Amino acid sequence: MRAIGGFLLLALTACQTVESPQPIIDMHRHAPLASSFEPDGGPGSMATELREQSVVLSIVSVTSPAQAERWSDDTSDLFVLGAMMPCPKNLAERYDCFPETDGLPDLVWLRDSLESGRIGAFHELMFNYDGTPPDSAKMAPYWALAAEYGVPVGVHSWSGPPPGRSIRANPNCCPDYDGEMGNPNQLRAVLHRHPDLKIWLQHIGSDGFEAAELWDETLSLLSDYPNVYLDLSITNSLLPIEVYENSLVRLIEAGFEDRVMLGSDNVPIALILERLEEIEIISDRQRAAILYENAAEFLDLDADTRRKHRNQ
Ligand SMILES: [Zn+2]
């Protein structure tokens, strides 16, 4: 009996110590672009990859109604689909997104998709590539829809990528490219009109150390609008670790550690997690906030969903 008692105790302690892995929300992923020749394997392969990395939710951009249909077939609650826009006609007469409607989603289709829940975000907004400002007349109805449905909007920010990198590796890309369109101050007119919009600035820190004005504009926008969050995609993976660490330190020292979310931009999550582990000044609580809590807050996830995520 005592032996059985001892064994029971051992078994109990063993199961008590099996902790669920840290859940992760990846705010920044892409299904293949409409202009891409890459086959669209649909959500299956990405779902497998994400589950292996303890990603419990991801915002994934789609670039056509057909692709949105295909990706919304996935029933795993793993994906929130984001409509990518605006996309320029590139030099090969192709659009990276929504080719049937000149680089912008059809407004009737988009409203229906928001109503049905097929589309749950606008991501990634591509003003640099399009060479047009966020506050352009053509974007006004889209901002109004985002405000009406309360959907989060991910905006490609800062001035990158440089020529030859990312989709600018395609020589046909983006004849009107303008890095100034990614300056966060460009969003002020939009937020003035729609102060409750949930916007997340993407690629923060990606201009490296020499970006004083972009830092000033970013920090002042975060200060003026508590509903503006950010991701550090590309800074957290492909830029020198010092740039990543410096960006995190600036945000934490400025009091915005609760606005920092994880974005991978389809870079393998393992690499990003490794680098985040390397940054010693980040506490475990801050790491958990960057990986999950801040995005859960931004997306307003309910308690049941958070519980489910923790037990996955
Ligand atoms: Zn992206």
PDB file of all heavy atoms in Angstrom, residues 161-190:
ATOM      1  N   PRO A 161      11.134  47.619 -47.813  1.00  0.00           N
ATOM      2  CA  PRO A 161      12.492  47.108 -47.992  1.00  0.00           C
ATOM      3  C   PRO A 161      13.294  47.897 -49.003  1.00  0.00           C
ATOM      4  O   PRO A 161      12.717  48.555 -49.878  1.00  0.00           O
ATOM      5  CB  PRO A 161      12.256  45.682 -48.502  1.00  0.00           C
ATOM      6  CG  PRO A 161      10.984  45.793 -49.276  1.00  0.00           C
ATOM      7  CD  PRO A 161      10.128  46.788 -48.520  1.00  0.00           C
ATOM      8  N   PRO A 162      14.596  47.769 -48.939  1.00  0.00           N
ATOM      9  CA  PRO A 162      15.425  48.427 -49.945  1.00  0.00           C
ATOM     10  C   PRO A 162      15.267  47.725 -51.300  1.00  0.00           C
ATOM     11  O   PRO A 162      14.796  46.588 -51.361  1.00  0.00           O
ATOM     12  CB  PRO A 162      16.844  48.262 -49.391  1.00  0.00           C
ATOM     13  CG  PRO A 162      16.773  47.090 -48.466  1.00  0.00           C
ATOM     14  CD  PRO A 162      15.380  47.038 -47.940  1.00  0.00           C
ATOM     15  N   PRO A 163      15.670  48.411 -52.395  1.00  0.00           N
ATOM     16  CA  PRO A 163      15.561  47.763 -53.705  1.00  0.00           C
ATOM     17  C   PRO A 163      16.257  46.403 -53.702  1.00  0.00           C
ATOM     18  O   PRO A 163      17.269  46.224 -53.033  1.00  0.00           O
ATOM     19  CB  PRO A 163      16.288  48.744 -54.633  1.00  0.00           C
ATOM     20  CG  PRO A 163      16.254  50.054 -53.916  1.00  0.00           C
ATOM     21  CD  PRO A 163      16.259  49.739 -52.445  1.00  0.00           C
ATOM     22  N   GLY A 164      15.635  45.422 -54.387  1.00  0.00           N
ATOM     23  CA  GLY A 164      16.271  44.108 -54.486  1.00  0.00           C
ATOM     24  C   GLY A 164      15.902  43.164 -53.361  1.00  0.00           C
ATOM     25  O   GLY A 164      16.217  41.979 -53.404  1.00  0.00           O
ATOM     26  N   ARG A 165      15.199  43.672 -52.362  1.00  0.00           N
ATOM     27  CA  ARG A 165      14.848  42.813 -51.219  1.00  0.00           C
ATOM     28  C   ARG A 165      13.348  42.528 -51.184  1.00  0.00           C
ATOM     29  O   ARG A 165      12.552  43.323 -51.656  1.00  0.00           O
ATOM     30  CB  ARG A 165      15.258  43.507 -49.906  1.00  0.00           C
ATOM     31  CG  ARG A 165      16.745  43.729 -49.775  1.00  0.00           C
ATOM     32  CD  ARG A 165      17.531  42.441 -49.573  1.00  0.00           C
ATOM     33  NE  ARG A 165      17.255  41.811 -48.302  1.00  0.00           N
ATOM     34  CZ  ARG A 165      17.867  42.166 -47.156  1.00  0.00           C
ATOM     35  NH1 ARG A 165      18.758  43.139 -47.178  1.00  0.00           N
ATOM     36  NH2 ARG A 165      17.572  41.581 -46.032  1.00  0.00           N
ATOM     37  N   SER A 166      12.946  41.421 -50.554  1.00  0.00           N
ATOM     38  CA  SER A 166      11.543  41.050 -50.424  1.00  0.00           C
ATOM     39  C   SER A 166      10.864  41.103 -51.797  1.00  0.00           C
ATOM     40  O   SER A 166      11.469  40.710 -52.777  1.00  0.00           O
ATOM     41  CB  SER A 166      10.871  42.013 -49.421  1.00  0.00           C
ATOM     42  OG  SER A 166       9.494  41.781 -49.352  1.00  0.00           O
ATOM     43  N   ILE A 167       9.644  41.601 -51.890  1.00  0.00           N
ATOM     44  CA  ILE A 167       9.004  41.570 -53.211  1.00  0.00           C
ATOM     45  C   ILE A 167       9.663  42.568 -54.161  1.00  0.00           C
ATOM     46  O   ILE A 167       9.420  42.528 -55.368  1.00  0.00           O
ATOM     47  CB  ILE A 167       7.472  41.756 -53.166  1.00  0.00           C
ATOM     48  CG1 ILE A 167       7.027  43.061 -52.525  1.00  0.00           C
ATOM     49  CG2 ILE A 167       6.795  40.593 -52.526  1.00  0.00           C
ATOM     50  CD1 ILE A 167       5.513  43.268 -52.610  1.00  0.00           C
ATOM     51  N   ARG A 168      10.546  43.435 -53.662  1.00  0.00           N
ATOM     52  CA  ARG A 168      11.286  44.316 -54.582  1.00  0.00           C
ATOM     53  C   ARG A 168      12.420  43.567 -55.258  1.00  0.00           C
ATOM     54  O   ARG A 168      13.117  44.127 -56.092  1.00  0.00           O
ATOM     55  CB  ARG A 168      11.809  45.549 -53.849  1.00  0.00           C
ATOM     56  CG  ARG A 168      10.686  46.453 -53.341  1.00  0.00           C
ATOM     57  CD  ARG A 168      11.234  47.731 -52.730  1.00  0.00           C
ATOM     58  NE  ARG A 168      11.591  48.715 -53.739  1.00  0.00           N
ATOM     59  CZ  ARG A 168      12.245  49.847 -53.450  1.00  0.00           C
ATOM     60  NH1 ARG A 168      12.655  50.085 -52.195  1.00  0.00           N
ATOM     61  NH2 ARG A 168      12.508  50.721 -54.409  1.00  0.00           N
ATOM     62  N   ALA A 169      12.601  42.289 -54.911  1.00  0.00           N
ATOM     63  CA  ALA A 169      13.558  41.450 -55.653  1.00  0.00           C
ATOM     64  C   ALA A 169      13.016  41.198 -57.056  1.00  0.00           C
ATOM     65  O   ALA A 169      13.764  40.926 -57.987  1.00  0.00           O
ATOM     66  CB  ALA A 169      13.778  40.138 -54.912  1.00  0.00           C
ATOM     67  N   ASN A 170      11.716  41.323 -57.187  1.00  0.00           N
ATOM     68  CA  ASN A 170      11.100  41.185 -58.510  1.00  0.00           C
ATOM     69  C   ASN A 170      11.304  42.508 -59.247  1.00  0.00           C
ATOM     70  O   ASN A 170      10.766  43.537 -58.852  1.00  0.00           O
ATOM     71  CB  ASN A 170       9.606  40.880 -58.344  1.00  0.00           C
ATOM     72  CG  ASN A 170       8.861  40.941 -59.669  1.00  0.00           C
ATOM     73  OD1 ASN A 170       9.442  41.311 -60.704  1.00  0.00           O
ATOM     74  ND2 ASN A 170       7.585  40.599 -59.632  1.00  0.00           N
ATOM     75  N   PRO A 171      12.108  42.504 -60.307  1.00  0.00           N
ATOM     76  CA  PRO A 171      12.430  43.770 -60.990  1.00  0.00           C
ATOM     77  C   PRO A 171      11.191  44.510 -61.500  1.00  0.00           C
ATOM     78  O   PRO A 171      11.229  45.707 -61.738  1.00  0.00           O
ATOM     79  CB  PRO A 171      13.324  43.338 -62.149  1.00  0.00           C
ATOM     80  CG  PRO A 171      13.111  41.879 -62.309  1.00  0.00           C
ATOM     81  CD  PRO A 171      12.697  41.341 -60.964  1.00  0.00           C
ATOM     82  N   ASN A 172      10.078  43.776 -61.609  1.00  0.00           N
ATOM     83  CA  ASN A 172       8.856  44.431 -62.093  1.00  0.00           C
ATOM     84  C   ASN A 172       8.101  45.155 -60.983  1.00  0.00           C
ATOM     85  O   ASN A 172       7.160  45.896 -61.235  1.00  0.00           O
ATOM     86  CB  ASN A 172       7.908  43.385 -62.715  1.00  0.00           C
ATOM     87  CG  ASN A 172       8.505  42.785 -63.961  1.00  0.00           C
ATOM     88  OD1 ASN A 172       9.087  43.492 -64.774  1.00  0.00           O
ATOM     89  ND2 ASN A 172       8.402  41.469 -64.085  1.00  0.00           N
ATOM     90  N   CYS A 173       8.559  44.870 -59.755  1.00  0.00           N
ATOM     91  CA  CYS A 173       7.802  45.403 -58.617  1.00  0.00           C
ATOM     92  C   CYS A 173       7.845  46.930 -58.575  1.00  0.00           C
ATOM     93  O   CYS A 173       8.929  47.502 -58.779  1.00  0.00           O
ATOM     94  CB  CYS A 173       8.380  44.852 -57.326  1.00  0.00           C
ATOM     95  SG  CYS A 173       7.707  45.628 -55.842  1.00  0.00           S
ATOM     96  N   CYS A 174       6.549  47.452 -58.351  1.00  0.00           N
ATOM     97  CA  CYS A 174       6.411  48.707 -57.631  1.00  0.00           C
ATOM     98  C   CYS A 174       7.084  49.900 -58.308  1.00  0.00           C
ATOM     99  O   CYS A 174       7.964  50.520 -57.720  1.00  0.00           O
ATOM    100  CB  CYS A 174       6.976  48.562 -56.232  1.00  0.00           C
ATOM    101  SG  CYS A 174       6.717  46.950 -55.530  1.00  0.00           S
ATOM    102  N   PRO A 175       6.651  50.218 -59.531  1.00  0.00           N
ATOM    103  CA  PRO A 175       7.277  51.348 -60.221  1.00  0.00           C
ATOM    104  C   PRO A 175       7.186  52.664 -59.449  1.00  0.00           C
ATOM    105  O   PRO A 175       8.039  53.534 -59.595  1.00  0.00           O
ATOM    106  CB  PRO A 175       6.497  51.433 -61.537  1.00  0.00           C
ATOM    107  CG  PRO A 175       5.269  50.606 -61.338  1.00  0.00           C
ATOM    108  CD  PRO A 175       5.604  49.570 -60.327  1.00  0.00           C
ATOM    109  N   ASP A 176       6.172  52.806 -58.561  1.00  0.00           N
ATOM    110  CA  ASP A 176       6.015  54.078 -57.839  1.00  0.00           C
ATOM    111  C   ASP A 176       6.421  53.971 -56.378  1.00  0.00           C
ATOM    112  O   ASP A 176       5.966  54.734 -55.521  1.00  0.00           O
ATOM    113  CB  ASP A 176       4.548  54.544 -57.922  1.00  0.00           C
ATOM    114  CG  ASP A 176       4.065  54.654 -59.356  1.00  0.00           C
ATOM    115  OD1 ASP A 176       4.866  55.130 -60.183  1.00  0.00           O
ATOM    116  OD2 ASP A 176       2.938  54.195 -59.649  1.00  0.00           O
ATOM    117  N   TYR A 177       7.306  53.020 -56.055  1.00  0.00           N
ATOM    118  CA  TYR A 177       7.664  52.783 -54.660  1.00  0.00           C
ATOM    119  C   TYR A 177       8.065  54.087 -53.967  1.00  0.00           C
ATOM    120  O   TYR A 177       8.814  54.894 -54.508  1.00  0.00           O
ATOM    121  CB  TYR A 177       8.831  51.792 -54.545  1.00  0.00           C
ATOM    122  CG  TYR A 177       9.066  51.352 -53.120  1.00  0.00           C
ATOM    123  CD1 TYR A 177       8.433  50.230 -52.634  1.00  0.00           C
ATOM    124  CD2 TYR A 177       9.868  52.098 -52.256  1.00  0.00           C
ATOM    125  CE1 TYR A 177       8.583  49.842 -51.314  1.00  0.00           C
ATOM    126  CE2 TYR A 177      10.030  51.722 -50.935  1.00  0.00           C
ATOM    127  CZ  TYR A 177       9.382  50.591 -50.469  1.00  0.00           C
ATOM    128  OH  TYR A 177       9.522  50.218 -49.154  1.00  0.00           O
ATOM    129  N   ASP A 178       7.530  54.304 -52.753  1.00  0.00           N
ATOM    130  CA  ASP A 178       7.871  55.511 -51.977  1.00  0.00           C
ATOM    131  C   ASP A 178       7.919  55.181 -50.494  1.00  0.00           C
ATOM    132  O   ASP A 178       6.883  54.997 -49.849  1.00  0.00           O
ATOM    133  CB  ASP A 178       6.827  56.615 -52.251  1.00  0.00           C
ATOM    134  CG  ASP A 178       7.161  57.923 -51.538  1.00  0.00           C
ATOM    135  OD1 ASP A 178       8.119  57.941 -50.718  1.00  0.00           O
ATOM    136  OD2 ASP A 178       6.466  58.929 -51.784  1.00  0.00           O
ATOM    137  N   GLY A 179       9.146  55.068 -49.953  1.00  0.00           N
ATOM    138  CA  GLY A 179       9.339  54.693 -48.560  1.00  0.00           C
ATOM    139  C   GLY A 179       8.728  55.674 -47.575  1.00  0.00           C
ATOM    140  O   GLY A 179       8.396  55.336 -46.435  1.00  0.00           O
ATOM    141  N   GLU A 180       8.508  56.913 -48.007  1.00  0.00           N
ATOM    142  CA  GLU A 180       7.941  57.925 -47.107  1.00  0.00           C
ATOM    143  C   GLU A 180       6.496  57.594 -46.733  1.00  0.00           C
ATOM    144  O   GLU A 180       5.984  58.017 -45.698  1.00  0.00           O
ATOM    145  CB  GLU A 180       8.017  59.311 -47.763  1.00  0.00           C
ATOM    146  CG  GLU A 180       7.562  60.473 -46.887  1.00  0.00           C
ATOM    147  CD  GLU A 180       8.148  60.457 -45.462  1.00  0.00           C
ATOM    148  OE1 GLU A 180       9.314  60.052 -45.287  1.00  0.00           O
ATOM    149  OE2 GLU A 180       7.388  60.795 -44.510  1.00  0.00           O
ATOM    150  N   MET A 181       5.832  56.778 -47.566  1.00  0.00           N
ATOM    151  CA  MET A 181       4.429  56.446 -47.295  1.00  0.00           C
ATOM    152  C   MET A 181       4.291  55.568 -46.046  1.00  0.00           C
ATOM    153  O   MET A 181       3.205  55.421 -45.499  1.00  0.00           O
ATOM    154  CB  MET A 181       3.799  55.743 -48.499  1.00  0.00           C
ATOM    155  CG  MET A 181       3.754  56.584 -49.758  1.00  0.00           C
ATOM    156  SD  MET A 181       2.774  58.106 -49.506  1.00  0.00           S
ATOM    157  CE  MET A 181       4.057  59.352 -49.585  1.00  0.00           C
ATOM    158  N   GLY A 182       5.431  54.984 -45.616  1.00  0.00           N
ATOM    159  CA  GLY A 182       5.402  54.125 -44.431  1.00  0.00           C
ATOM    160  C   GLY A 182       5.740  54.874 -43.147  1.00  0.00           C
ATOM    161  O   GLY A 182       5.844  54.271 -42.081  1.00  0.00           O
ATOM    162  N   ASN A 183       5.904  56.190 -43.243  1.00  0.00           N
ATOM    163  CA  ASN A 183       6.164  56.984 -42.046  1.00  0.00           C
ATOM    164  C   ASN A 183       4.892  57.033 -41.215  1.00  0.00           C
ATOM    165  O   ASN A 183       3.837  57.424 -41.717  1.00  0.00           O
ATOM    166  CB  ASN A 183       6.601  58.403 -42.441  1.00  0.00           C
ATOM    167  CG  ASN A 183       7.028  59.219 -41.235  1.00  0.00           C
ATOM    168  OD1 ASN A 183       6.444  59.105 -40.162  1.00  0.00           O
ATOM    169  ND2 ASN A 183       8.039  60.048 -41.430  1.00  0.00           N
ATOM    170  N   PRO A 184       4.939  56.613 -39.916  1.00  0.00           N
ATOM    171  CA  PRO A 184       3.713  56.558 -39.109  1.00  0.00           C
ATOM    172  C   PRO A 184       2.927  57.872 -39.058  1.00  0.00           C
ATOM    173  O   PRO A 184       1.705  57.852 -38.880  1.00  0.00           O
ATOM    174  CB  PRO A 184       4.246  56.170 -37.726  1.00  0.00           C
ATOM    175  CG  PRO A 184       5.479  55.399 -38.014  1.00  0.00           C
ATOM    176  CD  PRO A 184       6.097  56.076 -39.207  1.00  0.00           C
ATOM    177  N   ASN A 185       3.603  59.002 -39.293  1.00  0.00           N
ATOM    178  CA  ASN A 185       2.854  60.276 -39.245  1.00  0.00           C
ATOM    179  C   ASN A 185       1.825  60.355 -40.371  1.00  0.00           C
ATOM    180  O   ASN A 185       0.863  61.120 -40.287  1.00  0.00           O
ATOM    181  CB  ASN A 185       3.808  61.484 -39.269  1.00  0.00           C
ATOM    182  CG  ASN A 185       4.530  61.649 -40.591  1.00  0.00           C
ATOM    183  OD1 ASN A 185       4.224  60.967 -41.577  1.00  0.00           O
ATOM    184  ND2 ASN A 185       5.533  62.528 -40.616  1.00  0.00           N
ATOM    185  N   GLN A 186       1.991  59.508 -41.403  1.00  0.00           N
ATOM    186  CA  GLN A 186       1.023  59.470 -42.514  1.00  0.00           C
ATOM    187  C   GLN A 186      -0.338  58.949 -42.054  1.00  0.00           C
ATOM    188  O   GLN A 186      -1.339  59.117 -42.739  1.00  0.00           O
ATOM    189  CB  GLN A 186       1.555  58.539 -43.621  1.00  0.00           C
ATOM    190  CG  GLN A 186       2.840  58.982 -44.264  1.00  0.00           C
ATOM    191  CD  GLN A 186       2.632  59.961 -45.400  1.00  0.00           C
ATOM    192  OE1 GLN A 186       1.492  60.250 -45.782  1.00  0.00           O
ATOM    193  NE2 GLN A 186       3.715  60.505 -45.905  1.00  0.00           N
ATOM    194  N   LEU A 187      -0.364  58.273 -40.887  1.00  0.00           N
ATOM    195  CA  LEU A 187      -1.617  57.678 -40.413  1.00  0.00           C
ATOM    196  C   LEU A 187      -2.425  58.636 -39.542  1.00  0.00           C
ATOM    197  O   LEU A 187      -3.571  58.349 -39.178  1.00  0.00           O
ATOM    198  CB  LEU A 187      -1.317  56.390 -39.631  1.00  0.00           C
ATOM    199  CG  LEU A 187      -0.807  55.229 -40.485  1.00  0.00           C
ATOM    200  CD1 LEU A 187      -0.155  54.172 -39.615  1.00  0.00           C
ATOM    201  CD2 LEU A 187      -1.966  54.636 -41.291  1.00  0.00           C
ATOM    202  N   ARG A 188      -1.828  59.776 -39.198  1.00  0.00           N
ATOM    203  CA  ARG A 188      -2.496  60.695 -38.266  1.00  0.00           C
ATOM    204  C   ARG A 188      -3.843  61.190 -38.805  1.00  0.00           C
ATOM    205  O   ARG A 188      -4.832  61.219 -38.060  1.00  0.00           O
ATOM    206  CB  ARG A 188      -1.580  61.882 -37.939  1.00  0.00           C
ATOM    207  CG  ARG A 188      -0.521  61.498 -36.929  1.00  0.00           C
ATOM    208  CD  ARG A 188       0.226  62.675 -36.352  1.00  0.00           C
ATOM    209  NE  ARG A 188       1.076  62.213 -35.271  1.00  0.00           N
ATOM    210  CZ  ARG A 188       0.653  62.005 -34.021  1.00  0.00           C
ATOM    211  NH1 ARG A 188      -0.621  62.247 -33.726  1.00  0.00           N
ATOM    212  NH2 ARG A 188       1.464  61.569 -33.091  1.00  0.00           N
ATOM    213  N   ALA A 189      -3.899  61.543 -40.070  1.00  0.00           N
ATOM    214  CA  ALA A 189      -5.167  62.043 -40.639  1.00  0.00           C
ATOM    215  C   ALA A 189      -6.246  60.953 -40.579  1.00  0.00           C
ATOM    216  O   ALA A 189      -7.408  61.230 -40.261  1.00  0.00           O
ATOM    217  CB  ALA A 189      -4.943  62.486 -42.082  1.00  0.00           C
ATOM    218  N   VAL A 190      -5.846  59.709 -40.828  1.00  0.00           N
ATOM    219  CA  VAL A 190      -6.799  58.596 -40.791  1.00  0.00           C
ATOM    220  C   VAL A 190      -7.294  58.387 -39.352  1.00  0.00           C
ATOM    221  O   VAL A 190      -8.490  58.242 -39.102  1.00  0.00           O
ATOM    222  CB  VAL A 190      -6.127  57.307 -41.318  1.00  0.00           C
ATOM    223  CG1 VAL A 190      -7.053  56.105 -41.138  1.00  0.00           C
ATOM    224  CG2 VAL A 190      -5.729  57.456 -42.777  1.00  0.00           C
TER     225      VAL A 190
END
